[in-house]
Amino acid sequence: MRMLIFVLFTIGVSQTSFSQINTCHSLHEGAFRVVTKETGTTVIKRTKKLQIEENTFLNYKVVFDITWINDCVYELRPKEIIEGDPAIFGDGKNVLTVRIKSINKRNYIAETSANFSNGIVDFEVEILD
């Protein structure tokens, strides 16, 4: 179950906003998508203070508080489960840390770690208009 929670939060790693010159700051708000064989498609919407993730394959919609540590690193903390298994929240103290490693015109690579797992996962995030 911890691995499933880690995978879900790993996907939750998203950034936002598409602009002419993509910088970490350009990803602080916007819409994104992550697609993997294991978890299907996760759509991410980010505002200044919240990140909302929805995955129909895994049947969840979750709201996270987002805190930017610096321009390219942020933390996600679960705030509300709109739909899905409450176990996604774990003990309520879960923190996912995401580091933006590289940015291209249409996507970026993020490295995700969590306070409840020793694993580090890299994944590609598509930047939506």
Side-chain angles (χ1 to χ4, degrees):
M1 183 52 119
R2 291 192 126 207
M3 185 49 99
L4 175 60
I5 292 171
F6 181 71
V7 169
L8 292 175
F9 284 133
T10 298
I11 291 172
V13 158
S14 64
Q15 309 313 327
T16 41
S17 191
F18 182 81
S19 63
Q20 293 296 336
I21 299 172
N22 286 330
T23 63
C24 289
H25 188 74
S26 73
L27 302 174
H28 286 208
E29 296 181 53
F32 308 89
R33 178 172 44 214
V34 176
V35 180
T36 69
K37 287 182 190 179
E38 301 79 18
T39 62
T41 301
T42 302
V43 176
I44 301 161
K45 296 178 184 171
R46 178 173 295 137
T47 67
K48 288 182 181 183
K49 297 185 179 191
L50 299 175
Q51 177 165 302
I52 302 166
E53 298 183 14
E54 185 170 10
N55 183 302
T56 55
F57 180 75
L58 296 176
N59 191 35
Y60 75 86
K61 186 172 184 179
V62 179
V63 178
F64 296 93
D65 284 320
I66 185 168
T67 303
W68 287 91
I69 306 305
N70 63 43
D71 218 25
C72 295
V73 177
Y74 64 93
E75 293 180 339
L76 296 172
R77 289 176 174 79
K79 179 181 179 94
E80 176 185 2
I81 297 176
I82 296 171
E83 181 179 329
D85 185 351
I88 292 171
F89 270 19
D91 64 3
K93 298 177 184 175
N94 294 340
V95 178
L96 178 70
T97 303
V98 180
R99 181 174 69 92
I100 301 166
K101 294 174 71 173
S102 65
I103 306 169
N104 295 310
K105 190 171 186 174
R106 295 185 179 120
N107 59 45
Y108 65 92
I109 303 298
E111 175 185 277
T112 304
S113 60
N115 68 344
F116 52 86
S117 173
N118 291 329
I120 296 175
V121 177
D122 284 6
F123 59 93
E124 183 177 328
V125 180
E126 181 183 359
I127 302 168
L128 304 176
D129 290 335

